[in-house]
């Protein structure tokens, strides 16, 4: 077998080995015989070097005019577009999701990079009248310094780009720790940034474990913003780690997203939506549909249609274009899925599809599981409450619209939700009353676009949003500037009364 490629850290414009001298393996979750590459098992020393490089580079990068920073990002975006196919194939090999979806992931990074390149000529602040004569007031954005990113494996390139591109356009520098399951996609992204002209030290990458690399990023005083996407449990630790130094933290965490189906819905469409929402990305999206609640009049019919369609989904290696669902990303995710199947059965929910690992032939080499559906799930069950992050859909029933809203909001999370209905009044009421950061009408809970704010309420986030101009609030701080051209002292709130 060919010796696997060794990928290095990227610090101060150079590819460097970790001071630990150790590496870790990244294997293909669809075929664990395949080693995608060896990556640096880094330590706090490597993180220190990366932060030093970023802190030094910040001195110059913050002074590069934003439109110039934007010109580099345009080149980065164009290059990602040119290389889209190979980047997407690498991503499927390390993460498992099907090639159509990894193309979407790469496209999301392209979209975000073009969007933020354009921000280089906006980054709008505002002017406003002064309460004094001969005085000029304005509010402008300023960068913060070094930003540390801890990114997840489910969107290996899109999510790093959501953090990196706005940070860069605002004039910050970056240290990123990719997920250990998907470092190659971040290596690829960082390589493009470097080759297309981002100066040395502005973007740095250190691979390795959360405890060894993520924690030192959070602890280092020179890091002023930490942006994290992952579980609520880890997000809480990030938040606590940032609090003593009043570091800004932007947290995107769990979801338990609901699709509501009313009795007037186009059922075919609702089934297609739920299927895509629940089993797209093997259910491994923060935005995945994990609860489907259906009006009692159409409940049985909808469950039957879902079961038939779920059983017909082709599961396999995501590089085969006919495959509709890839494997779980690793053994531990697979174990979590199977453990929730047992929990669901014990709780008395009705397993109507899947519920087991796929075995035999090539399946034995990967973390494949059948698309799984539980019916008759009720609000007291763990299946209803807990994020599974796998292809397990829980279906419940409701009597009327008000009950549907109450059930939709009965969760500790608040990322995404959707309603299928033909009744415009109910669509708008649901839009108003379901307390989430993202809401869809007659569309699944997944599929956010990069020019709208992305994030959630309650335990999903800490009030910040990624994407769109909204994320500039994370990567810049307001500076209010008062210019007095009266030539005399003017006392605000006093002299103009
Ligand atoms: C995520 O699952 O963390 O809206 C991100 C979507 C994608 C992004 C998902 N555009 O489903």
């Amino acid at each position: 077998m060919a010796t696997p490629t060794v990928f290095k850290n990227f610090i101060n414009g150079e590819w460097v080995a970790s001071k630990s001298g150790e590496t870790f393996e990244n294997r293909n979750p669809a075929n664990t015989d395949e080693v995608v590459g060896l990556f640096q098992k880094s330590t706090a020393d490597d993180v220190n070097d990366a932060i030093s490089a970023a802190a030094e580079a910040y001195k110059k990068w913050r002074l590069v005019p934003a439109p110039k920073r934007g010109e580099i990002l345009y080149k980065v975006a164009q290059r990602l577009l040119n290389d889209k196919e190979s980047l997407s194939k690498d991503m499927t090999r390390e993460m498992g999701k099907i090639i159509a979806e990894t193309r979407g992931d790469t496209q999301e990074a392209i979209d975000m990079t073009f969007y933020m390149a354009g921000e280089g000529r906006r980054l709008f602040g505002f002017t406003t009248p002064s309460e004094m004569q001969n005085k000029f007031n304005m509010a402008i954005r300023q960068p913060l310094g070094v930003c540390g990113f801890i990114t997840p494996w489910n969107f290996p390139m899109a999510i790093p780009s959501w953090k990196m591109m706005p940070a860069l356009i605002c004039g910050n520098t970056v240290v990123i720790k990719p997920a250990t399951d998907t470092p190659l996609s971040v290596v690829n992204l960082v390589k493009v940034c470097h080759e297309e002209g981002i100066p040395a030290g502005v973007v740095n990458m250190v691979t390795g474990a959360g405890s060894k690399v993520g924690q030192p990023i959070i602890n280092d005083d020179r890091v002023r913003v930490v942006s994290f996407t992952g579980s609520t449990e880890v997000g809480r630790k990030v938040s606590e780690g940032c609090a003593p130094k009043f570091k800004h933290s932007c947290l995107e965490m769990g979801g338990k997203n609901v699709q509501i189906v009313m009795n007037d819905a186009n059922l075919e469409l609702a089934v297609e939506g739920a299927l895509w929402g629940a089993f797209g990305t093997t259910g491994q999206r923060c935005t995945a549909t994990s609860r489907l609640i259906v009006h009692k009049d159409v409940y049985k019919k909808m469950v039957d249609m879902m079961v038939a369609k779920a059983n017909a989904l082709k599961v396999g290696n995501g590089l085969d274009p006919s495959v509709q669902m890839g494997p779980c990303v690793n053994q531990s995710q697979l174990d979590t899925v199977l453990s929730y199947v047992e929990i669901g059965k014990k709780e008395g929910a009705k397993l109507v599809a899947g519920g087991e690992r796929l075995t035999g032939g090539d399946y034995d080499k990967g973390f494949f599981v059948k698309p799984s559906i539980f019916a008759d799930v009720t609000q007291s069950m763990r299946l209803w409450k807990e994020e599974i992050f796998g292809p397990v859909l829980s279906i419940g029933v409701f009597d009327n619209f008000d009950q549907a809203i109450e059930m939709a909001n009965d969760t500790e999370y608040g990322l995404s939700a959707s309603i299928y209905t033909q009744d415009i009044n109910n669509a708008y009421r649901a839009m108003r009353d379901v307390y989430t950061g993202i809401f869809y009408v007659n569309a699944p809970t997944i599929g956010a676009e990069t020019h709208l704010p992305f994030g959630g309420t309650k335990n999903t986030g800490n009030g910040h949003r990624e994407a769109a101009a909204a994320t500039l609030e994370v990567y810049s701080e307001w500076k209010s500037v008062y210019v007095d051209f009266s030539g005399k002292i003017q006392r605000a709130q006093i002299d103009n009364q």
Side-chain angles (χ1 to χ4, degrees):
M1 224 200 284
T3 30
T5 311
V6 180
F7 294 92
K8 294 186 174 165
N9 288 333
F10 189 68
I11 299 174
N12 207 16
E14 313 263 345
W15 296 97
V16 289
S18 164
K19 289 180 175 158
S20 73
E22 290 180 64
T23 56
F24 65 92
E25 278 181 353
N26 174 13
R27 285 181 182 261
N28 182 340
N31 174 10
T32 50
D33 286 349
E34 182 190 340
V35 180
V36 175
L38 298 177
F39 292 81
Q40 302 302 308
K41 204 175 196 175
S42 308
T43 64
D45 274 352
D46 304 310
V47 174
N48 183 53
D49 289 349
I51 296 173
S52 299
E56 189 56 32
Y58 175 65
K59 293 176 189 164
K60 284 192 185 154
W61 183 246
R62 62 181 274 271
L63 298 176
V64 174
K68 288 278 167 218
R69 297 196 288 257
E71 279 169 26
I72 306 177
L73 291 196
Y74 276 120
K75 287 195 198 153
V76 170
Q78 187 57 51
R79 171 74 182 282
L80 293 173
L81 186 57
N82 296 348
D83 295 355
K84 182 170 165 181
E85 199 53 26
S86 69
L87 296 171
S88 307
K89 280 193 179 138
D90 276 355
M91 202 188 298
T92 292
R93 282 171 56 230
E94 69 173 349
M95 191 272 171
K97 63 184 173 182
I98 60 173
I99 186 73
E101 289 192 45
T102 51
R103 285 187 194 121
D105 191 309
T106 310
Q107 187 59 46
E108 204 161 331
I110 295 164
D111 295 344
M112 182 58 80
T113 310
F114 273 126
Y115 182 95
M116 288 301 159
E119 270 306 322
R121 286 190 183 269
R122 289 188 296 271
L123 286 179
F124 293 138
F126 60 93
T127 64
T128 186
S130 169
E131 61 189 47
M132 305 296 189
Q133 268 189 4
N134 299 326
K135 194 173 168 200
F136 186 87
N137 293 353
M138 62 188 154
I140 58 174
R141 293 181 182 279
Q142 59 188 330
L144 290 94
V146 181
C147 300
F149 302 146
I150 300 168
T151 57
W153 46 261
N154 67 334
F155 275 79
M157 190 174 283
I159 292 181
S161 81
W162 294 4
K163 302 183 191 304
M164 202 188 276
M165 303 312 164
L168 293 176
I169 202 66
C170 288
N172 305 284
T173 55
V174 165
V175 175
I176 182 167
K177 183 206 105 56
T180 44
D181 283 307
T182 57
L184 180 56
S185 294
V186 177
V187 166
N188 287 341
L189 180 62
V190 164
K191 192 162 173 273
V192 168
C193 288
H194 172 56
E195 289 175 3
E196 296 305 321
I198 304 255
V202 172
V203 169
N204 305 275
M205 182 205 66
V206 183
T207 57
S211 56
K212 298 275 162 41
V213 178
Q215 199 60 49
I217 291 177
I218 296 166
N219 293 348
D220 195 297
D221 287 354
R222 294 167 294 173
V223 175
R224 296 313 307 157
V225 181
V226 177
S227 181
F228 165 82
T229 300
S231 70
T232 297
E233 195 190 342
V234 177
R236 183 168 288 118
K237 293 202 178 108
V238 174
S239 181
E240 287 165 0
C242 290
K245 294 284 170 171
F246 308 113
K247 273 182 206 194
H248 297 204
S249 62
C250 173
L251 309 172
E252 293 294 348
M253 302 171 288
K256 194 71 193 174
N257 312 293
V258 69
Q259 177 179 315
I260 304 168
V261 180
M262 298 300 297
N263 52 355
D264 61 3
N266 174 337
L267 273 199
E268 295 284 335
L269 196 65
V271 168
E272 287 305 322
L275 215 62
W276 174 227
F279 303 126
T281 324
T282 318
Q284 302 172 123
R285 293 196 192 208
C286 320
T287 51
T289 306
S290 50
R291 296 178 296 148
L292 171 65
I293 57 173
V294 186
H295 191 281
K296 63 178 190 308
D297 293 353
V298 290
Y299 179 74
K300 192 176 174 326
K301 191 167 176 204
M302 175 107 191
V303 171
D304 291 346
M305 287 164 84
M306 285 297 299
V307 170
K309 293 267 192 183
N311 286 337
L313 286 176
K314 185 172 172 190
V315 182
N317 188 319
L319 287 177
D320 172 348
S322 68
V323 163
Q324 294 163 295
M325 192 179 101
C328 297
V329 75
N330 57 31
Q331 182 72 49
S332 138
Q333 287 303 125
L334 175 66
D335 292 346
T336 303
V337 167
L338 296 175
S339 77
Y340 273 99
V341 169
E342 290 315 308
I343 290 166
K345 285 187 201 161
K346 276 206 196 94
E347 286 181 315
K350 200 163 138 202
L351 181 67
V352 288
E356 51 193 35
R357 185 173 184 168
L358 279 155
T359 51
D362 287 346
Y363 284 140
D364 289 337
K365 292 186 176 176
F367 308 115
F368 295 99
V369 65
K370 291 184 182 170
S372 306
I373 302 179
F374 278 97
D376 302 348
V377 175
T378 57
Q379 286 165 268
S380 61
M381 295 181 185
R382 286 181 64 189
L383 272 189
W384 176 272
K385 294 178 186 166
E386 296 173 19
E387 182 175 49
I388 301 172
F389 225 68
V392 182
L393 177 67
S394 298
I395 314 186
V397 62
F398 62 84
D399 274 351
N400 57 55
F401 177 80
D402 288 342
Q403 191 190 1
I405 299 297
E406 184 278 318
M407 288 170 79
N409 284 329
D410 180 23
T411 165
E412 64 173 290
Y413 300 111
L415 183 54
S416 179
S418 103
I419 187 167
Y420 280 76
T421 179
Q422 300 297 319
D423 180 330
I424 194 165
N425 297 336
N426 280 341
Y428 271 88
R429 277 186 202 122
M431 181 187 84
R432 182 192 61 196
D433 294 338
V434 176
Y435 183 43
T436 53
I438 304 172
F439 190 76
Y440 293 91
V441 176
N442 292 326
T445 61
I446 67 177
E449 301 173 28
T450 54
H451 51 301
L452 276 81
F454 182 97
T457 62
K458 301 193 267 185
N459 286 355
T460 296
N462 63 341
H464 292 293
R465 290 292 180 267
E466 301 207 271
T471 201
L472 300 177
E473 302 302 327
V474 174
Y475 299 107
S476 64
E477 265 184 319
W478 286 110
K479 181 181 277 173
S480 297
V481 182
Y482 301 89
V483 182
D484 194 317
F485 55 98
S486 69
K488 60 180 185 192
I489 179 83
Q490 299 197 86
R491 297 176 301 174
Q493 295 92 36
I494 297 170
D495 289 340
N496 61 340
Q497 294 309 306

